[in-house]
Amino acid sequence: MRAGSNPTRFVFAQSRLTETALWYRPGMSDPYPSYSEDLRTFNESLENLDEGIRDFMWKRHRTRSVLVFSVSIGLMLLFAGIEFMFFDWRHATEDQFKGAVTLPLLPLIPLIIYIATIRARVTEVFKRQLAEAIGFTYGGEAPMGSVSGHIFEFGNARYLSDVYIGKFGVFPGRFYTYTFVKGSGKHARYYSFTVGEIDYGRTLPHLLLRPENNRLETDWRFPESEALTPEGGFSDRFDYYAEKGKRIEALQVLEPTIMALFHDEFPDFGFETFGTKLYVFCPLYGIRTKQGFIGLHKLLLTLGSRIVPELYNVSAEQDPVYT
């Protein structure tokens, strides 16, 4: 860090943010007045979305779920048995054959609606509860025009969903799911990144750290960039790119403690600085647990308090001032 700089300008209110990272507990104000008592009580201890949906169906409402499943499967087998016994398969036309195949599947419609309804209700409450856990506000969707960077140029049909809006200290930030499509037709593949961002209001050098452990086959190196090789074996698991002319800044900010943080605790994550924003992303899977979001929150705080001030100090003519 440059001599004469004031590092306190970049200290985040981490303790305050940590205090807000609490999960809803009895005795707190009711954040879900529109839901039934049973659903709200269940979600007080919900930490994993997928497990929460299964638990709600098979622990809280086992009798109802067994009844819906049994009736749907039973009717499907009954219809299939009747058609097998009485339908003339050898002389059926193509339309009759399609109708005969479709009819036994109709009893599955109530089952699909039942599962979808529970998933939607539990997911919505989980999202609101997650926002409480990280001290943010759930904001639904956001336009692609609100983001910029190399990772947001992948594929097509891009969109942002499940947006959480808040602040990291004095800086505005967000979490969201970034989804896009590679290929088309039967070859189309959907990808979802969980992304966290902080907007510092001042232009940063363009850097990109890519984890090797990801399933996206694309060119991660952005135009007018150069590949860098940090010390040690870090390059065995990560690729690191910087805009031309920023090699010194890029290698200086990726200090041993930061490399150890990614290598040991967050091997599936990467980051990109572009424009005025720092993006931290996970390209391997979407985060669907509270603990996962708390981990991403921690990573953003750490990078923001270590990397960004260093970028300012090694590349700026004067320290940024925030009020």
Side-chain angles (χ1 to χ4, degrees), residues 95-304:
D95 291 340
Q96 289 174 333
F97 181 80
K98 291 180 179 179
V101 172
T102 303
L103 183 61
L105 301 179
L106 293 180
L108 295 180
I109 294 178
L111 176 62
I112 295 173
I113 294 175
Y114 175 73
I115 296 175
T117 300
I118 290 180
R119 174 178 289 274
R121 290 179 178 176
V122 175
T123 299
E124 182 64 22
V125 176
F126 175 77
K127 291 174 181 177
R128 296 180 185 276
Q129 193 180 55
L130 176 60
E132 289 257 329
I134 58 178
F136 279 37
T137 301
Y138 180 68
E141 298 181 353
M144 284 299 301
S146 64
V147 296
S148 57
H150 186 60
I151 64 172
F152 300 109
E153 297 176 354
F154 296 155
N156 52 72
R158 314 176 191 101
Y159 64 92
L160 306 180
S161 60
D162 296 338
V163 181
Y164 300 86
I165 305 170
K167 283 191 173 184
F168 292 88
V170 299
F171 303 109
R174 298 187 300 177
F175 294 98
Y176 44 82
T177 300
Y178 162 49
T179 303
F180 59 93
V181 182
K182 294 278 289 183
S184 60
K186 64 179 181 180
H187 301 293
R189 297 187 64 182
Y190 289 80
Y191 296 88
S192 292
F193 286 17
T194 299
V195 183
E197 74 171 44
I198 307 178
D199 189 347
Y200 292 94
R202 179 167 180 169
T203 302
L204 303 171
H206 192 182
L207 310 176
L208 176 61
L209 180 72
R210 169 218 178 183
E212 287 282 358
N213 185 23
N214 71 86
R215 52 194 176 87
L216 177 60
E217 297 179 0
T218 191
D219 186 7
W220 285 78
R221 183 169 178 173
F222 54 88
E224 300 298 321
S225 66
E226 58 178 318
L228 305 181
T229 305
E231 297 179 355
F234 188 75
S235 297
D236 295 336
R237 300 185 65 175
F238 296 89
D239 293 329
Y240 192 34
Y241 306 103
E243 64 175 286
K244 292 181 179 179
K246 298 296 182 181
R247 180 184 183 87
I248 295 177
E249 291 92 330
L251 291 175
Q252 188 166 341
V253 300
L254 205 63
E255 59 186 45
T257 55
I258 296 298
M259 289 191 289
L261 181 67
F262 276 101
H263 188 277
D264 299 335
E265 297 187 46
F266 299 96
D268 300 328
F269 287 75
F271 76 82
E272 181 173 15
T273 56
F274 186 84
T276 62
K277 296 181 178 181
L278 164 67
Y279 301 99
V280 176
F281 56 88
C282 179
L284 189 62
Y285 50 82
I287 298 178
R288 298 173 65 82
T289 66
K290 282 184 180 176
Q291 195 58 43
F293 271 96
I294 296 299
L296 179 56
H297 191 277
K298 169 191 173 183
L299 181 58
L300 263 172
L301 281 173
T302 303
L303 293 182

Side-chain angles (χ1 to χ4, degrees), residues 69-81 103-104 106-108 110:
F69 271 78
S70 299
V71 172
S72 296
I73 299 300
L75 288 175
M76 183 186 70
L77 294 176
L78 176 63
F79 289 175
L103 183 61
L106 293 180
L108 295 180

Side-chain angles (χ1 to χ4, degrees), residues 35-36 38-40 42-43 46 48-69 109-127 288:
Y35 293 95
S36 66
D38 186 64
L39 183 59
R40 184 173 63 251
F42 170 76
N43 280 308
L46 184 61
N48 182 300
L49 178 57
D50 296 324
E51 291 180 0
I53 293 172
R54 291 194 297 268
D55 288 347
F56 186 79
M57 292 179 60
W58 299 110
K59 291 183 179 180
R60 304 289 289 193
H61 294 288
R62 176 184 294 273
T63 302
R64 181 193 302 172
S65 298
V66 170
L67 179 62
V68 173
F69 271 78
I109 294 178
L111 176 62
I112 295 173
I113 294 175
Y114 175 73
I115 296 175
T117 300
I118 290 180
R119 174 178 289 274
R121 290 179 178 176
V122 175
T123 299
E124 182 64 22
V125 176
F126 175 77
K127 291 174 181 177
R288 298 173 65 82

